Amino acid sequence: MTLNLADLPADVQEQVATTRRIVSDLHAELPRWELVVWTAGNVSQRIRVADRIGEDLFVIKPSGVSYDDLGPEKMVVCTLDGKKILDGTPDSLQPSSDTAAHAYVYTHMDNVGGVVHTHSTYATAWASRGEEVPCVLTMMADEFGGPIPIGPFALIGDDSIGRGIVETLKDSRSRAVLMQNHGPFTIGSDGRDAVKAAVMVEEVARTVHIARQLGDVIPIPQEKIDSL
């Protein structure tokens, strides 16, 4: 059954409106940190309302809309099966092509409150090689708890990417995965936390790449990673 926003309790409608503003604002961070080009990339945030309406919701960027044209009113609200709820927005505003991946992560990782996908240059370059970013920086140990892992190759359009994200991260300390031949996905306690992880992934991917052009990098011993 398709949910209609107008039929939801007033406090849930208020949470939806607040989350749309948050997610809209967070999308501005992606081009600001040079993590995306054109309309690529997306941020989503979970709305924890299962106790009120029987299921959680999430808000995500619409597909194919320029970052300059985004606003709270254009953010798409979905159920955890990835279906857009009826909220008065035009039919032309459909959720991102990565929505199924985000929905799968929320469904299978209850601790996750935000998901971000970018095509940031250096992180995506590592993904194109199918190579994890080794933990050679204290910032990596502190932020990601070790290397940034590679996830499997998966096609866009269904939950294959989401399955790869969950399988890679479910037993990992990392809040980021480089999906092979695709790019980085990050998770967080909310959308802002996941955006921070996306910014940090690109920073360490760039730094380690540059370091390797100068010579061998020095891995941090596991016990030091654990202490960090």
Side-chain angles (χ1 to χ4, degrees), residues 47-200:
I47 308 173
R48 295 189 182 276
V49 289
D51 61 330
R52 300 286 288 119
I53 64 172
E55 60 182 311
D56 284 346
L57 306 172
F58 69 98
V59 173
I60 194 168
K61 172 182 176 289
S63 179
V65 178
S66 168
Y67 280 82
D68 289 339
D69 295 329
L70 292 179
E73 74 285 353
K74 292 183 178 178
M75 296 296 107
V76 182
V77 187
C78 296
T79 54
L80 290 196
D81 59 4
K83 293 181 180 178
K84 175 182 176 181
I85 76 170
L86 299 177
D87 60 356
T89 56
D91 290 340
S92 59
L93 290 177
Q94 291 300 309
S96 164
S97 59
D98 291 306
T99 295
H102 290 241
Y104 190 92
V105 172
Y106 288 129
T107 300
H108 293 85
M109 301 182 79
D110 187 61
N111 61 311
V112 172
V115 179
V116 173
H117 172 48
T118 77
H119 293 166
S120 59
T121 302
Y122 285 88
T124 302
W126 287 84
S128 73
R129 292 169 51 86
E131 183 178 357
E132 71 176 19
V133 183
C135 188
V136 297
L137 302 168
T138 56
M139 181 169 66
M140 286 186 68
D142 182 56
E143 186 71 24
F144 299 108
I148 298 171
I150 288 288
F153 176 79
L155 294 176
I156 301 170
D158 59 19
D159 62 10
S160 298
I161 293 173
R163 290 199 305 271
I165 296 168
V166 171
E167 285 302 308
T168 305
L169 295 184
K170 66 179 182 179
D171 296 318
S172 173
R173 289 172 171 170
S174 179
R175 298 192 297 117
V177 55
L178 307 180
M179 293 299 288
Q180 182 181 313
N181 301 110
H182 190 168
F185 283 79
T186 59
I187 58 175
S189 58
D190 57 18
R192 183 173 181 80
D193 190 39
V195 169
K196 177 194 175 187
V199 173
M200 299 291 276

